[in-house]
Amino acid sequence: MPVDDLCVSRVPIFQGLTREEQLRVAEFVRPVHVAKGETVYSPGQSVSRLLVMHSGQLKVSHAAANGQEQILRTVTDGDVVGERAFLTGHLPNDLVVALEDSRMCVFDHTDLSALLRDYPDVGLRMLRTLSDRLASVERLLAAITSSDVSARIAAYLLDLPGSIRDGVPTVWLPLAKYEIASYLGTTPETLSRRLAALSASGVIELHGRRDVTILDIDGLERVATPR
Amino acid sequence: MPVDDLCVSRVPIFQGLTREEQLRVAEFVRPVHVAKGETVYSPGQSVSRLLVMHSGQLKVSHAAANGQEQILRTVTDGDVVGERAFLTGHLPNDLVVALEDSRMCVFDHTDLSALLRDYPDVGLRMLRTLSDRLASVERLLAAITSSDVSARIAAYLLDLPGSIRDGVPTVWLPLAKYEIASYLGTTPETLSRRLAALSASGVIELHGRRDVTILDIDGLERVATPR
DNA sequence: CACCGAACATGATCTATGTCAAGGAGTTCC
DNA sequence: GGAACTCCTTGACATAGATCATGTTCGGTG
């Protein structure tokens, strides 16, 4: 099964296993492809599975009590989704939607349980992944409570995986602006104003809707670390 | 070693091991006692250990860039501290201080690594603990970005382990008010005002500095879930 | 290629909460 | 049991950012 094999071997939490072990793990796994815009997971869904991302990007959001959608995170290669349902037995109450065409490894919970018992390394790597996520949420939390919106935006832009185009650092926003606003704990209006301000002061340049070039990295870093 | 034994057997992540296994784990573990006010962990400390709480209470805080102390969480029985340093190799950059006299099991990292390999169940329970923490931080984050301070306070009070005194639900604040303010992403002044308002509207009653009786649970829940 | 709708920008206004300042109350420690 | 220090409360004020409303741009679609 070359496809399953590929799926397992590409994902960080299964690296460190021998090829033979990977093949055995592959028997438990189902490779799944979802198209952009499709819903992967919806709240209260009784059948719950563990997803391990392999390519593409998903967004995880939470319908708050007041009806607002709160973006919790975006997940990319190597990230894990749905571990809480497996670990604690609670039903998932997040909404997961594909931002791009995505591929992932899917495990049923019963299988996963046995898997972790047989391959402690996998558990260790999962722990590492969760620990990273925890650190990243705590960073975001600290950022939201202790800095203003401009600083959060700057930090967000600096965190984004960037590329160099024509010698200038460029980032491609993975989310629509109103979604970024939600993620950063603000509103689209404020985000728009602050981006405009950063642009006016020559720190960044906006091209089209999702394309940002960073003209002055140091300046942006200064904004991200306020006094 | 009955003391070590006790330490290990009292902690959730080691339950599920047989008595014999617990005894073997106990060899790795060092029981530690810290007095109220003592520092358990400080940022950048090069020797890092894993703590598993057993009794008492610690507070974990983070010195933000602007010098403000941000309270990240309080940890109580069964909680784990310092796993990130172990899992990722990064130095800890949180400050951990004992709020009460506390007892905990301490592992050195090298030992822990072997432990997780030998007892996959321990890893699984650690995963569960981390997953709970993640969920709780994500809840806090959502609360901070999508509700006002009154709602956060109400939710906080409802979350606190409460007792019944004279037939009335009573909570004992585990932190000083200025620390609670930090945890909830606000200031002592605002917290004070909101508590006063809740008190004025007859929902709660304040006694002394840390003692709160809840007169109207439904009312408090209504405040916690705003429209 | 022109249309259409969603996403975005901008302006005017309002309000919750932060900030600064000063006085009061609760603990703690001798 | 009282002094002394924190912690907490209250007040007056300033302001970042939310909200509401309207106009504009982009990018996909027929």
Side-chain angles (χ1 to χ4, degrees):
Chain A
M1 276 191 199
V3 177
D4 284 24
D5 178 23
L6 220 174
C7 179
V8 167
S9 65
R10 285 248 182 131
V11 153
I13 69 171
F14 299 118
Q15 273 146 34
L17 298 184
T18 65
R19 179 130 197 100
E20 193 202 339
E21 287 171 337
Q22 285 185 358
L23 282 170
R24 279 170 58 202
V25 169
E27 287 173 26
F28 291 129
V29 93
R30 205 154 27 98
V32 164
H33 174 262
V34 295
K36 177 175 176 174
E38 267 184 66
T39 297
V40 183
Y41 237 104
S42 47
Q45 184 176 307
S46 64
V47 172
S48 48
R49 301 146 297 157
L50 181 86
L51 317 177
V52 185
M53 285 295 286
H54 165 174
S55 73
Q57 191 160 251
L58 311 178
K59 90 176 169 188
V60 180
S61 60
H62 180 84
N66 56 24
Q68 294 285 310
E69 175 192 39
Q70 159 81 12
I71 305 270
L72 293 177
R73 58 197 177 107
T74 56
V75 312
T76 52
D77 311 12
D79 290 335
V80 167
V81 183
E83 80 295 335
R84 183 165 161 73
F86 162 65
L87 292 166
T88 66
H90 293 124
L91 289 182
N93 56 2
D94 294 338
L95 172 70
V96 181
V97 174
L99 292 172
E100 315 167 359
D101 290 15
S102 304
R103 293 178 185 284
M104 59 205 78
C105 304
V106 176
F107 291 85
D108 283 323
H109 284 176
T110 40
D111 297 340
L112 186 60
S113 198
L115 189 75
L116 288 179
R117 237 163 279 261
D118 292 346
Y119 304 107
D121 263 9
V122 172
L124 230 137
R125 280 162 189 271
M126 246 178 94
L127 274 170
R128 206 164 293 156
T129 308
L130 273 199
S131 172
D132 282 342
R133 245 174 79 189
L134 194 55
S136 119
V137 181
E138 286 183 340
R139 255 203 317 280
L140 179 62
L141 183 63
I144 285 188
T145 59
S146 69
S147 41
D148 63 11
V149 175
S150 298
R152 288 179 238 162
I153 295 172
Y156 180 75
L157 290 177
L158 290 167
D159 257 13
L160 240 37
S163 61
I164 306 293
R165 209 181 44 195
D166 303 333
V168 184
T170 301
V171 297
W172 176 258
L173 305 178
L175 296 167
K177 295 230 175 80
Y178 72 94
E179 293 173 310
I180 297 177
S182 154
Y183 179 70
L184 296 177
T186 182
T187 57
E189 291 93 330
T190 300
L191 176 63
S192 177
R193 282 183 241 272
R194 296 308 147 116
L195 281 175
L198 285 174
S199 179
S201 64
V203 176
I204 61 171
E205 212 171 78
L206 301 161
H207 301 100
R209 289 214 159 157
R210 296 221 166 172
D211 207 16
V212 183
T213 64
I214 299 177
L215 300 176
D216 177 5
I217 292 205
D218 293 344
L220 200 57
E221 255 153 14
R222 238 171 288 124
V223 175
T225 324
R227 180 84 301 271
Chain B
M1 277 191 194
V3 177
D4 284 25
D5 177 23
L6 220 173
C7 179
V8 167
S9 64
R10 285 249 180 130
V11 153
I13 67 169
F14 298 117
Q15 272 147 34
L17 298 184
T18 65
R19 179 130 196 100
E20 193 201 340
E21 288 171 335
Q22 285 186 359
L23 283 169
R24 279 169 57 202
V25 170
E27 288 173 26
F28 290 130
V29 94
R30 206 155 27 99
V32 165
H33 174 261
V34 294
K36 177 176 174 173
E38 268 185 66
T39 297
V40 183
Y41 237 105
S42 47
Q45 186 176 305
S46 65
V47 172
S48 49
R49 301 147 298 157
L50 183 86
L51 316 177
V52 186
M53 285 295 285
H54 166 174
S55 73
Q57 192 163 317
L58 312 177
K59 89 175 170 190
V60 180
S61 60
H62 180 85
N66 56 24
Q68 294 284 311
E69 175 193 39
Q70 157 81 13
I71 307 270
L72 292 176
R73 58 196 177 108
T74 56
V75 313
T76 53
D77 312 11
D79 290 336
V80 167
V81 183
E83 79 295 333
R84 183 165 162 75
F86 162 66
L87 292 166
T88 67
H90 292 126
L91 289 181
N93 57 3
D94 294 337
L95 172 68
V96 182
V97 175
L99 292 172
E100 315 167 357
D101 289 15
S102 304
R103 292 177 186 285
M104 58 206 78
C105 303
V106 177
F107 292 85
D108 283 324
H109 284 176
T110 40
D111 297 340
L112 186 59
S113 197
L115 189 75
L116 288 179
R117 236 162 281 262
D118 292 345
Y119 305 106
D121 262 10
V122 173
L124 229 137
R125 281 164 188 269
M126 248 179 94
L127 273 171
R128 206 165 294 157
T129 308
L130 272 199
S131 171
D132 282 342
R133 245 173 79 190
L134 193 55
S136 120
V137 182
E138 284 182 341
R139 257 203 316 280
L140 179 61
L141 184 62
I144 286 187
T145 58
S146 70
S147 40
D148 63 12
V149 175
S150 298
R152 288 178 239 162
I153 296 172
Y156 180 75
L157 290 176
L158 290 167
D159 256 12
L160 241 37
S163 60
I164 307 293
R165 208 180 48 193
D166 304 333
V168 184
T170 301
V171 296
W172 176 257
L173 304 179
L175 296 167
K177 293 229 176 82
Y178 73 94
E179 293 172 310
I180 296 177
S182 154
Y183 178 70
L184 296 177
T186 182
T187 58
E189 292 92 329
T190 300
L191 175 63
S192 178
R193 282 183 242 273
R194 295 309 146 121
L195 281 174
L198 285 173
S199 179
S201 63
V203 176
I204 61 171
E205 212 171 79
L206 301 162
H207 303 102
R209 287 214 159 157
R210 296 218 167 173
D211 207 15
V212 183
T213 64
I214 298 176
L215 300 177
D216 178 5
I217 291 205
D218 293 343
L220 200 57
E221 256 154 14
R222 238 171 289 124
V223 175
T225 325
R227 182 89 301 272

